[in-house]
Amino acid sequence: MRTRFAPSPTGPLHLGHAYSAMLAHDMAKAAGGTFLLRIEDIDQTRTRPEWEAQIYDDLQWLGLDWPRPVMRQSDRLPDYRRALSHLWARGLIYPCTCTRRDIAEALSAPQEGTPGPDGPAYPGTCRINPAPTDPMPDQALRLNMARALAVVTHRPLARPLRFTEEGAGPNEEHGQINIDPQTLMDAGDIVLARREFGTSYHLSVVLDDTAQGITHVIRGRDLFAATAIHVLLQNLLELPTPVYHHHRLIRDEHGKRLAKRDDARAIAKFRAAGETKEDIRQRVGLEP
Ligand code: GLU
């Protein structure tokens, strides 16, 4: 069993992160497996080296250990580019020059834009019908969802769009989860490469999980809906689909889920107040 914790160094780790990391660590250790760390730093405008340093420090303090060197997404751009070229050559992605404003204006037309797992669906302004023949441009690239679904559902030996959920989704979904292609159509032509980063969360996460040999993805329930997109990409890129375990979210006393800016629940605050890692385990419900 290989699990991972994949934080973005854009702020302090809070109790929700501690829970996710400790759960992934405990599960790997209990099975005699390996827990890995990955730094999701594709958004170089928001990541800071001091947050990355703080992540290592907090996780060590929590008693976790992981193999070095740690994978960092900023080192993996050539891999992301290679996968994009492959999708480009198959006519499955297209360049998009729309600004946020163009999209908002197109979406204000009444019948368009059903919200999906990735926000409101892109209205398709830049979608082109013939397969691209030019070299792949250095622009935002979107997945042609209808074409992607046609490929994965019609090719010989099609792999079913499904995954095993060992935790639970927001509506207690678990076991074999069959993905309804309509959910993906509703997600629309999602961005696979942002112009500024050359990749996206969805693309990087599936390539990285494969590169790290992750067998069990343990993460918060807020990412359950994104799993449909991840399974589709694994299918298109012929990557293995790991088992997923979406866990409950840690909430504050008002029932609100913790956010990065929620400094009051930062691990560092509890440490400074003299708490121990056992106190943290208790706070997140890993110990009675
Ligand atoms: N980097 C993501 C986050 O900090 C986690 C991604 C994942 O576990 O798939 O929320």
Side-chain angles (χ1 to χ4, degrees):
M1 184 191 250
R2 285 166 76 86
T3 66
R4 47 73 162 183
F5 176 56
S8 304
T10 55
L13 294 187
H14 56 56
L15 286 180
H17 295 109
Y19 176 59
S20 206
M22 291 190 293
L23 188 64
H25 187 265
D26 288 1
M27 286 176 76
K29 296 289 144 164
T34 310
F35 164 81
L36 293 113
L37 183 60
R38 172 166 86 228
I39 299 293
E40 301 218 320
D41 59 349
I42 49 174
D43 185 349
Q44 292 284 326
T45 62
R46 294 171 58 227
T47 62
R48 300 254 181 287
E50 53 276 27
W51 292 129
E52 187 177 328
Q54 178 87 51
I55 288 173
Y56 300 136
D57 199 50
D58 282 343
L59 295 179
Q60 243 152 19
W61 179 80
L62 286 169
L64 311 194
D65 60 80
W66 57 88
R68 274 72 167 177
V70 166
M71 177 181 282
R72 298 162 91 231
Q73 290 187 325
S74 52
D75 295 331
R76 299 206 1 96
L77 293 173
D79 248 62
Y80 306 148
R81 197 73 193 163
R82 213 165 14 250
L84 288 165
S85 302
H86 182 57
L87 295 171
W88 176 263
R90 293 156 75 199
L92 294 172
I93 53 177
Y94 61 87
C96 175
T97 53
C98 291
T99 60
R100 275 177 211 280
R101 180 148 166 220
D102 295 335
I103 297 173
E105 281 172 5
L107 285 175
S108 63
Q111 71 283 17
E112 286 176 299
T114 336
D118 212 40
Y122 175 65
T125 324
C126 290
R127 191 187 303 129
I128 36 159
N129 289 314
T133 47
D134 306 336
M136 183 171 66
D138 231 348
Q139 268 172 2
L141 297 165
R142 287 184 181 275
L143 181 68
N144 182 327
M145 187 59 83
R147 210 176 268 177
L149 283 170
V151 167
V152 301
T153 50
H154 294 137
R155 73 173 170 216
L157 304 175
R159 223 166 97 179
L161 280 174
R162 71 163 177 239
F163 65 98
T164 303
E165 174 61 60
E166 288 192 346
N171 301 309
E172 301 304 325
E173 303 90 332
H174 65 275
Q176 283 291 323
I177 308 288
N178 292 307
I179 297 160
D180 179 357
Q182 190 55 48
T183 320
L184 289 163
M185 278 310 283
D186 291 347
D189 291 358
I190 55 165
V191 172
L192 287 192
R194 286 179 57 177
R195 191 176 43 80
E196 323 83 287
F197 312 153
T199 183
S200 61
Y201 160 66
H202 297 305
L203 180 70
S204 297
V205 90
V206 298
L207 292 169
D208 296 347
D209 284 335
T210 298
Q212 289 190 302
I214 302 302
T215 60
H216 292 69
V217 170
I218 296 160
R219 60 183 181 191
R221 245 171 229 190
D222 52 325
L223 290 167
F224 180 81
T227 310
I229 295 173
H230 300 168
V231 172
L232 172 71
L233 293 176
Q234 285 151 358
N235 230 295
L236 281 177
L237 295 166
E238 295 180 35
L239 307 175
T241 293
V243 169
Y244 286 86
H245 180 122
H246 291 93
H247 60 68
R248 65 186 162 82
L249 302 177
I250 303 292
R251 298 178 183 277
D252 67 14
E253 57 279 15
H254 309 293
K256 226 176 103 269
R257 130 173 134 77
L258 303 183
K260 277 267 162 67
R261 56 195 170 282
D262 228 332
D263 272 31
R265 278 100 188 161
I267 312 296
K269 285 266 163 75
F270 295 110
R271 287 176 66 177
E275 293 207 9
T276 64
K277 62 173 194 264
E278 288 74 25
D279 295 327
I280 303 291
R281 292 183 75 89
Q282 223 167 34
R283 280 185 176 276
V284 299
L286 276 170
E287 229 119 278

